[in-house]
Amino acid sequence: MSLYTNMAERHQSEYDLSRKRRYATMSADSDTKRVRLETSSSISVINDHHPKQEYIYQLETTKRRWEISSANTYILANCNIASGELVPSYVIVKRQLLFHSTEDESVTQYIHTCSCENGVTQAERLGSVSSGVSGNFEEFASREKSNYCIHSWAASELFSRPLNNAYPDYTTAYGDVLIDHLSVEPLLVSVTIDNSIHLVSVRKKHGAKKLSCLTCTYGKTSCEHVEAFRKWCERQNIDSPETYYTTNQSNFNCISATKISYPLTENLKDTFYKQQTGQKCMNLQNLVPAIPSVCASCAHGHEWDIQDPVEQNWLVGPATVYYATHTLTHMYVQGEENRINVYYRPSSGPCNCQLFYDGNEDMMLNLNNKDIIHYSILLLYLHLMVESRNPLASFHRAYSERIAGMSGTDVLPLHKLRLGWNAFARLLDINYASNFQCKVCELHPQVVICDGTSVGLNKKLLQSIPTDGSSAGISNDQGVPTQTVDIGTRHSDRVFISNPKVRRLLLQFCSTSKQSSKPLSSEEYSIMIDLMEKNDHLHSLANYIKLISSQGAHLQAPKEFCSFLEDLAKNSPTSAILQLPVGSKAKKYIKEFIHGIDLFQGKNQYKLEIVQKDAPVIFDFLAKYGKRSDGVPTEVRCLLKDILLKSRKSHTRDAEDTGTVVYPQPTEDPVACFPCLPKHKGKPAYSQDKTTGDMSQRGQDTCRKVYSKHPSLSPGIFTVYCMHGVCYGFQAMRQVESPKIPFEILLTRFNNPPEIVIYDNACRLHQYCLNREPRHFINTTFLVDRLHWKNHTGCSSGYSMERYKSNKRINSINSQVCEQGNAEMQRIKAQVAYMLPDNFMFHIRLFLAMQNAKKNQLLMTA
């Protein structure tokens, strides 16, 4: 059977199912089969397979119907009245005419009116009569509804169910204009001016895509509604409204091609200073390309002609030069006013190549041989963008006012300023690999702090960009992995107490259970001990609880031991208590203690100090016995032995061959930027990726970040910083932030993972890593930053940075450097939101490179 047949059958079954859900049961009639349509307001009887049914069905399945922000107004795709099939046009339906009975004014009825021909006729007729209806009001309402066009009927049925309504992707207003984004692909925008609603879309005209008004009769590409949308696009820094929704690539070409050293070289600084102080007067009358070097040639290998272009009359045409304070179109030379002209230099061969004026040596950007922009404008905006919340449109308004107040000359138009700025920014010779690298940590930061921030772009444009495709095993048509890797440890093997009931009883024993603060009853105490003794590795815990329970009493655990017992009862890996790398001295000394060494003797104080620094949870527990005359009980040593054994199982499986992992070849994600951390391997497909029972993703995990979703923008970007506040890279998030994002970064971009990872959701990230690559992260400590730890009430305290106060390295880390860096990025959030993806990535990279340069400079001077 063909794929087309399968799809057709599936479409038909979905259609039938939808009709069954929407319509009531069929009833027989002598002449024709009839269907009873039930709605919240009325019951209509219509023929089966009626065009109205098909119209309703297609509107529902395609979602091409919207309720816009103008009160009681709906936009519907138009249809073929005979068949109900959708057609590529739209109608506007308003529920605005309210009628009431003259006998009882509480009895009212809304009437829907449509912008189609039949709907306009009905609206004109109803608009000419009084809103009060005498006589049989129900008959009036029924008669008018029977006169509905198919669109008004569909609107009255669809929008009587508010939970199914579709709302615009984005709504905004400026002045008296209201913009509703109804659809991104294809573009459809509602523009409301003075309560008049019009639709703007993109149409092809003479082979080119242009904005077009769907409701105006004349001037469709230049009416006030199209212009209002263009102005909105300018305010939102949308590069090109016509192509914004149909392409993912920006085009910012200019004539100038020489890279601009940034920070500026001493020579450029001297040129700029002399120009501003009048020490260097430029002859702008003739803008001539410089004589090229001896080895310079055109693309065909021919040398450039070195004759004087002015004498040879190699004229391109007149130009306008824009400065930050004025604009020049003419120069006065010896009392004469002469037009500023641009010249070219031809090649010496037959290829007709031309070399144009570059402008770099004069601090000029040649945009198109007609518009020349001085660096003073562009550098000013560069610093305002980085240091203040100043979108390009706001800067242009300030620049325009400045020109008007100081010289009254022509102003560089906003669209040319945008082209000039983007071309200039791409000519800046910035070493991104160096700027995205801390001068102290260098290529391999041992401490990383990561988090997401809500600096997003249009989500539908982002979703249209393919991922890096480096995950192996995805090959069949359904996208299900055909080959998966299973090397992770299991959650039940990692937690010290895998039985939820035992965990709950132990928490209640410590009086911290959310369900109850009462002590255990005698029966509950016995059940808890019995369940523990049925598990081999919990014998030691049962014996220890018996020890601290005064002669077997079953009240509450002594307060001094509650914190430690709580950690054992948490649904976190046991290794969270002992996040120690392989060969750790602290782990060695804990083993010595288990075998009888007294760490509290004076000669062993240095060992105890290391345990305090690297394993604070264990140290705080042992410290309770340090001053006791009877020494440390055997039950304590046995309990620590079982904790150590269980902790090891977080990173290894018992006698199980997991095989050799073959990692796919790495490919870079177009929306990821890590200039000094390129991928060294791809991410395989893990069996846990498709396992819904994965404990790190199920309801048993109490730590879940709460995110607010923007209707049309992506969730944001994920950034990675070192402990000195230098950003090492970022990645645009296609979905809401999850541990998957930092896991992929740490796995594919770090040959050896950092020693310390600080993240506000480190508890879940730790479990995510143990589920997939436990050996890879065996030497990594996962910590929750200080600000967010208060929210992790259900996690092991081993994730808390506050427990490591004796560790000078951890205690000195500013865990908020990522939050602070992300807060700085809010300055450009509004500006980049509606850029094309490649332009979005470029501006984020430029902004972070500038911030990193400042931080590295401070580090070097500190």
Side-chain angles (χ1 to χ4, degrees):
M1 186 178 292
S2 68
L3 177 62
Y4 177 84
T5 304
N6 287 333
M7 291 178 64
E9 290 181 351
R10 185 173 64 181
H11 179 82
Q12 182 63 37
S13 65
E14 291 176 351
Y15 173 81
D16 293 340
L17 179 61
S18 175
R19 289 183 57 218
K20 287 178 181 179
R21 289 175 177 173
R22 185 178 298 113
Y23 302 111
T25 56
M26 306 287 288
S27 60
D29 188 81
S30 58
D31 297 322
T32 179
K33 211 176 197 181
R34 305 175 77 83
V35 172
R36 200 176 176 199
L37 174 63
E38 298 186 1
T39 68
S40 59
S41 58
S42 62
I43 300 179
S44 302
V45 181
I46 57 177
N47 289 335
D48 191 15
H49 302 301
H50 195 283
K52 292 182 179 180
Q53 298 177 25
E54 180 66 24
Y55 186 39
I56 285 275
Y57 169 72
Q58 293 207 16
L59 288 174
E60 287 276 41
T61 55
T62 62
K63 304 297 182 185
R64 289 174 64 188
R65 77 286 190 281
W66 303 269
E67 180 177 359
I68 66 173
S69 50
S70 296
N72 300 321
T73 304
Y74 316 110
I75 308 297
L76 306 179
N78 203 349
C79 70
N80 183 317
I81 297 178
S83 65
E85 296 284 341
L86 300 188
V87 296
S89 60
Y90 298 89
V91 294
I92 301 171
V93 179
K94 294 184 178 182
R95 192 187 66 156
Q96 61 180 6
L97 298 177
L98 177 62
F99 291 85
H100 64 269
S101 173
T102 55
E103 299 174 359
D104 184 359
E105 292 191 0
S106 64
V107 179
T108 60
Q109 180 66 53
Y110 280 99
I111 302 297
H112 291 74
T113 60
C114 180
S115 61
C116 72
E117 185 177 350
N118 291 338
V120 170
T121 301
Q122 185 180 22
E124 290 177 348
R125 176 171 50 80
L126 291 174
S128 64
V129 300
S130 172
S131 60
V133 178
S134 59
N136 191 328
F137 186 78
E138 291 185 0
E139 182 181 346
F140 161 78
S142 177
R143 183 178 66 254
E144 290 303 328
K145 285 187 175 182
S146 67
N147 291 328
Y148 272 177
C149 64
I150 191 172
H151 317 107
S152 294
W153 179 86
S156 66
E157 300 296 333
L158 286 173
F159 295 98
S160 63
R161 304 188 292 273
L163 292 179
N164 294 328
N165 291 357
Y167 294 94
D169 283 340
Y170 186 73
T171 301
T172 187
Y174 69 94
D176 297 328
V177 180
L178 188 67
I179 302 290
D180 284 296
H181 276 253
L182 307 180
S183 171
V184 170
E185 183 58 46
L187 173 65
L188 184 64
V189 178
S190 163
V191 179
T192 305
I193 303 177
D194 297 331
N195 295 322
S196 177
I197 302 170
H198 296 261
L199 300 177
V200 174
S201 184
V202 172
R203 293 286 186 267
K204 277 192 175 183
K205 186 175 182 180
H206 306 302
K209 292 184 177 181
K210 292 184 176 294
L211 290 177
S212 176
C213 184
L214 304 183
T215 45
C216 285
T217 306
Y218 303 102
K220 289 178 174 289
T221 59
S222 59
C223 67
E224 62 174 332
H225 317 110
V226 170
E227 292 305 313
F229 179 58
R230 286 189 185 278
K231 289 181 180 179
W232 179 87
C233 290
E234 290 180 359
R235 289 171 177 266
Q236 299 297 328
N237 294 290
I238 292 179
D239 304 318
S240 175
E242 289 84 357
T243 60
Y244 175 67
Y245 300 95
T246 58
T247 179
N248 289 325
Q249 295 297 320
S250 305
N251 183 12
F252 301 113
N253 296 325
C254 70
I255 302 299
S256 295
T258 303
K259 285 291 184 179
I260 305 166
S261 299
Y262 193 85
L264 298 180
T265 62
E266 293 301 321
N267 185 38
L268 284 177
K269 288 180 181 178
D270 182 64
T271 299
F272 185 73
Y273 174 77
K274 290 181 177 179
Q275 286 179 0
Q276 297 301 307
T277 57
Q279 299 179 40
K280 181 177 181 179
C281 295
M282 296 175 54
N283 181 13
L284 294 178
Q285 180 181 350
N286 301 317
L287 299 179
V288 178
I291 298 177
S293 60
V294 176
C295 58
S297 60
C298 71
H300 302 92
H302 305 126
E303 294 183 354
W304 298 109
D305 198 316
I306 61 173
Q307 298 181 72
D308 186 353
V310 177
E311 293 182 357
Q312 299 299 320
N313 197 29
W314 292 329
L315 177 66
V316 177
T320 303
V321 181
Y322 298 94
Y323 288 86
T325 56
H326 60 280
T327 301
L328 295 178
T329 57
H330 295 76
M331 288 292 294
Y332 290 89
V333 180
Q334 297 179 353
E336 294 184 5
E337 184 181 53
N338 297 300
R339 193 70 169 87
I340 298 176
N341 290 317
V342 175
Y343 292 83
Y344 70 91
R345 191 181 297 278
S347 67
S348 57
C351 57
N352 295 324
C353 291
Q354 296 177 342
L355 177 66
F356 297 108
Y357 173 72
D358 186 275
N360 178 263
E361 64 278 7
D362 297 324
M363 303 282 289
M364 300 280 197
L365 178 81
N366 185 351
L367 187 60
N368 51 19
N369 281 330
K370 296 179 181 179
D371 301 289
I372 314 294
I373 307 173
H374 194 261
Y375 288 178
S376 58
I377 299 178
L378 304 170
L379 287 171
L380 177 60
Y381 176 68
L382 171 64
H383 298 120
L384 286 174
M385 181 195 76
V386 173
E387 300 298 339
S388 64
R389 296 172 181 260
N390 201 327
L392 193 63
S394 300
F395 171 77
H396 182 264
R397 288 194 294 271
Y399 153 76
S400 301
E401 291 295 326
R402 186 180 187 186
I403 292 289
M406 298 183 69
S407 63
T409 51
D410 293 338
V411 174
L412 177 64
L414 177 58
H415 71 279
K416 291 184 179 179
L417 175 60
R418 178 173 287 112
L419 289 173
W421 154 251
N422 281 283
F424 170 80
R426 285 159 175 77
L427 288 176
L428 291 176
D429 192 10
I430 297 176
N431 188 335
Y432 288 101
S434 175
N435 279 344
F436 275 86
Q437 181 181 149
C438 176
K439 300 300 182 185
V440 178
C441 300
E442 297 182 336
L443 277 175
H444 307 288
Q446 295 305 309
V447 178
V448 299
I449 306 162
C450 50
D451 197 10
T453 182
S454 60
V455 179
L457 73 158
N458 188 288
K459 68 171 76 171
K460 294 189 178 180
L461 289 180
L462 180 59
Q463 291 167 359
S464 67
I465 299 176
T467 58
D468 58 3
S470 62
S471 294
I474 308 294
S475 60
N476 59 14
D477 295 337
Q478 289 75 30
V480 178
T482 56
Q483 180 181 358
T484 58
V485 174
D486 185 13
I487 58 176
T489 56
R490 294 174 176 83
H491 182 78
S492 58
D493 295 333
R494 297 194 299 257
V495 293
F496 193 70
I497 304 173
S498 58
N499 189 323
K501 185 174 182 180
V502 178
R503 289 202 301 268
R504 180 183 61 79
L505 291 172
L506 183 55
L507 286 174
Q508 187 174 343
F509 181 61
C510 300
S511 300
T512 62
S513 175
K514 293 181 179 179
Q515 290 80 5
S516 173
S517 61
K518 297 179 180 180
L520 292 176
S521 66
S522 176
E523 182 181 358
E524 289 174 326
Y525 180 86
S526 299
I527 292 174
M528 180 180 70
I529 296 298
D530 290 343
L531 290 173
M532 288 181 180
E533 290 179 340
K534 290 179 181 179
N535 193 314
D536 291 340
H537 82 276
L538 292 182
H539 275 286
S540 58
L541 178 59
N543 293 333
Y544 179 71
I545 291 176
K546 292 177 184 178
L547 173 69
I548 63 175
S549 300
S550 177
Q551 297 180 352
H554 48 267
L555 299 177
Q556 293 178 334
K559 290 184 178 180
E560 58 184 341
F561 302 118
C562 283
S563 176
F564 183 72
L565 291 176
E566 288 170 18
D567 279 331
L568 295 182
K570 297 292 177 61
N571 193 27
S572 298
T574 312
S575 58
I577 299 174
L578 282 166
Q579 296 199 65
L580 300 173
V582 175
S584 164
K585 290 184 178 181
K587 186 180 291 186
K588 174 185 176 182
Y589 299 148
I590 292 173
K591 289 181 180 179
E592 291 180 358
F593 173 81
I594 292 171
H595 290 94
I597 300 296
D598 187 0
L599 295 181
F600 298 102
Q601 289 184 359
K603 65 177 182 179
N604 291 327
Q605 281 296 305
Y606 74 96
K607 296 181 180 181
L608 192 64
E609 183 180 352
I610 291 176
V611 174
Q612 180 186 22
K613 177 172 70 73
D614 295 337
V617 177
I618 299 298
F619 170 81
D620 290 345
F621 173 57
L622 295 180
K624 305 294 191 301
Y625 295 95
K627 295 183 179 180
R628 293 195 176 188
S629 58
D630 55 349
V632 180
T634 304
E635 290 84 353
V636 174
R637 299 181 192 274
C638 292
L639 178 58
L640 285 182
K641 180 180 179 181
D642 284 337
I643 291 174
L644 208 61
L645 289 173
K646 196 68 172 178
S647 175
R648 188 174 64 184
K649 290 185 178 181
S650 294
H651 298 279
T652 57
R653 289 191 184 181
D654 292 335
E656 184 175 349
D657 182 14
T658 57
T660 302
V661 180
V662 178
Y663 292 94
Q665 290 297 316
T667 55
E668 287 293 341
D669 191 334
V671 291
C673 177
F674 290 84
C676 70
L677 290 174
K679 285 188 176 182
H680 61 87
K681 62 182 176 183
K683 183 182 79 69
Y686 299 97
S687 58
Q688 289 81 359
D689 292 341
K690 61 175 182 178
T691 303
T692 57
D694 185 356
M695 292 294 288
S696 70
Q697 301 177 24
R698 291 181 61 185
Q700 289 92 328
D701 190 351
T702 57
C703 289
R704 290 186 174 273
K705 293 186 70 172
V706 178
Y707 308 94
S708 58
K709 292 185 178 180
H710 192 282
S712 63
L713 298 181
S714 65
I717 62 174
F718 193 88
T719 52
V720 177
Y721 286 77
C722 75
M723 62 185 295
H724 303 102
V726 175
C727 182
Y728 272 72
F730 64 95
Q731 178 173 326
M733 296 184 289
R734 290 180 168 85
Q735 304 295 333
V736 294
E737 183 185 340
S738 73
K740 176 183 178 182
I741 300 171
F743 168 76
E744 290 188 7
I745 293 172
L746 296 172
L747 174 70
T748 62
R749 298 186 184 276
F750 288 80
N751 284 307
N752 296 308
E755 295 175 5
I756 299 173
V757 174
I758 300 173
Y759 177 43
D760 60 6
N761 205 13
C763 52
R764 288 196 67 199
L765 175 58
H766 188 204
Q767 295 196 46
Y768 195 95
C769 294
L770 295 177
N771 284 334
R772 291 158 179 81
E773 292 281 351
R775 296 293 301 174
H776 188 73
F777 294 95
I778 194 170
N779 295 324
T780 300
T781 299
F782 293 86
L783 298 173
V784 176
D785 63 276
R786 296 182 182 91
L787 176 66
H788 294 94
W789 174 248
K790 61 184 179 182
N791 301 321
H792 292 256
T793 56
C795 298
S796 168
S797 64
Y799 292 122
S800 171
M801 293 185 70
E802 292 298 321
R803 295 300 296 266
Y804 291 83
K805 288 184 177 179
S806 299
N807 189 315
K808 294 182 179 179
R809 183 187 187 189
I810 294 177
N811 198 42
S812 65
I813 296 174
N814 175 11
S815 65
Q816 297 306 302
V817 293
C818 193
E819 294 279 353
Q820 292 161 0
N822 289 345
E824 291 175 347
M825 267 194 288
Q826 297 302 310
R827 300 172 190 167
I828 61 170
K829 180 178 180 179
Q831 175 173 345
V832 301
Y834 289 93
M835 290 180 176
L836 294 177
D838 65 321
N839 202 23
F840 171 89
M841 294 295 294
F842 173 81
H843 277 79
I844 299 292
R845 183 182 66 165
L846 175 63
F847 178 86
L848 288 173
M850 299 282 287
Q851 297 289 1
N852 286 345
K854 292 192 297 182
K855 292 171 183 175
N856 273 322
Q857 188 175 8
L858 291 174
L859 287 173
M860 293 295 97
T861 56

